Amino acid sequence: MIVTLTVNPSLDRTVELEHALERGEVQRMARNVEEPGGKGVNVTRALVAAGAASIAVLPGRADDPLVIALASAGVPVATVPIAARLRSNVTITEPDGVTTKLNELGPELTEAEQRALIAAVVAQAADASWLVLAGSLPPSLTPDFYVRVVREARAAGVAARIAVDTSGGPLAALVDSGEPVDLIKPNGEELAELAGEPDADALESDPERVAEVAATLVPRGIRSALVTLGSKGAVLVGEGRGWFAPAPRIVPRSTVGAGDSSLAGFLLAVTEGAAPERALAQAVAHGAAAASLPGSAVPSRELADASAITVIRIRGAVAPVIP
């Protein structure tokens, strides 16, 4: 079982345009879809689509539209009731795959609601193989919220391996805490921000440099890193080694949730006993398949074929240990 925590889930409305976005103009929609989302929710959706056992823990009342949408989609969830409604986001995708997101900040969570959410995820993760903490935090939470979750999970005896997919202040707070986690999954821009790299575009174009930068996090408690690089592919560091897998050529439709599908593909492969480099291949296959689908749709296992993904060893990379 893989348990995910999404503190700031969203009901995502994706609008596909017939032509490139023109600011200030009236344009026709080619397609309009509304789906439940949020990083952890998307990871669970992708895992379930691949036949793996997963449950998404999130805040939300039973009558919240997002919770109802998840139930209708057959996504296993464990919810913690809160007073506020969950957020809604709007994504605009253009014919060439360019994606623009308009995200609400998220609900106010009281301290009691925060404690209840942590207790719920700790209880769900008691017998899990992985615990995934994913996504942004609502404004009412301090950046160290994920640090709290990790500490309370370990104090309660949770033995699951922990993966974190977040950015900005929450990611920096986790790394600065020195709290050991098994995996982080930043994208190139998030890694550049975390490490103080001045040029995120240059970093993303240099897989060897990505591996070097990711490896500097090992003294700060990060055991491994999966760094997604969009259309360029992904880098994995671990076991004193690094690997790069270029992304296959696809016709992009929407990049929403592609990174979440990448993480799901990686966890799926690891739990099935794949070697690190083949887990990286599965991550890239899942991410590419997701980007070729509309909205925040997740790929089936058949669509995410890793057999054609080439993995290149990065020589000289010094990195932490893969879980």
Side-chain angles (χ1 to χ4, degrees):
M1 173 66 72
I2 296 175
V3 176
T4 67
L5 171 63
T6 308
V7 186
N8 204 12
S10 59
L11 193 60
D12 292 337
R13 184 185 183 196
T14 302
V15 175
E16 292 187 25
L17 299 180
E18 293 181 342
H19 306 288
L21 178 65
E22 297 180 27
R23 294 179 62 194
E25 299 296 326
V26 176
Q27 293 183 244
R28 291 187 181 277
M29 299 179 187
R31 187 171 181 269
N32 177 29
V33 64
E34 196 169 63
E35 297 169 308
K39 281 187 172 294
V41 168
N42 289 338
V43 171
T44 288
R45 289 173 59 221
L47 287 167
V48 171
S54 181
I55 187 169
V57 180
L58 61 148
R61 300 188 304 269
D63 62 350
D64 192 282
L66 189 151
V67 176
I68 293 173
L70 286 170
S72 298
V75 179
V77 297
T79 59
V80 173
I82 61 173
R85 71 169 183 85
L86 298 175
R87 63 179 179 155
S88 296
N89 296 335
V90 177
T91 299
I92 302 170
T93 61
E94 301 176 55
D96 62 356
V98 172
T99 300
T100 302
K101 298 193 69 176
L102 307 174
N103 291 349
E104 289 186 10
L105 292 176
E108 293 284 328
L109 298 182
T110 66
E111 179 59 33
E113 290 169 343
Q114 293 176 40
R115 290 196 301 269
L117 191 59
I118 294 174
V121 77
V122 167
Q124 290 291 335
D127 298 316
S129 57
W130 281 90
L131 169 59
V132 180
L133 313 178
S136 64
L137 299 177
S140 56
L141 272 62
T142 58
D144 66 347
F145 181 78
Y146 285 138
V147 179
R148 287 176 59 190
V149 176
V150 172
R151 287 175 177 165
E152 295 198 29
R154 293 310 187 206
V158 171
R161 290 173 284 183
I162 296 177
V164 181
D165 182 5
T166 189
S167 60
L171 180 57
L174 177 75
V175 173
D176 290 344
S177 74
E179 200 69 35
V181 297
D182 299 279
L183 179 72
I184 60 170
K185 196 223 69 67
N187 60 31
E189 182 178 350
E190 292 161 352
L191 180 65
E193 180 184 9
L194 178 66
E197 288 285 311
D199 190 336
D201 290 338
L203 180 66
E204 286 191 345
S205 298
D206 187 348
E208 291 188 4
R209 179 59 183 159
V210 169
E212 291 173 0
V213 172
T216 65
L217 301 175
V218 62
R220 302 162 75 180
I222 307 302
R223 296 188 177 122
S224 59
L226 171 65
V227 185
T228 51
L229 304 174
S231 61
K232 297 179 180 66
V235 166
L236 175 68
V237 293
E239 296 185 351
R241 294 171 290 171
W243 298 268
F244 169 58
R249 289 183 177 274
I250 62 166
V251 176
R253 293 192 64 182
S254 172
T255 59
V256 178
D260 307 328
S261 285
S262 291
L263 177 56
F266 179 83
L267 297 176
L268 178 68
V270 167
T271 55
E272 292 179 348
E277 62 270 25
R278 296 319 304 168
L280 173 61
Q282 191 62 62
V284 170
H286 255 80
S292 68
L293 297 173
S296 58
V298 296
S300 65
R301 188 185 288 255
E302 291 72 26
L303 289 177
D305 181 12
S307 63
I309 302 296
T310 300
V311 180
I312 303 165
R313 173 78 180 275
I314 298 175
R315 301 293 176 183
V318 179
V321 176
I322 282 287

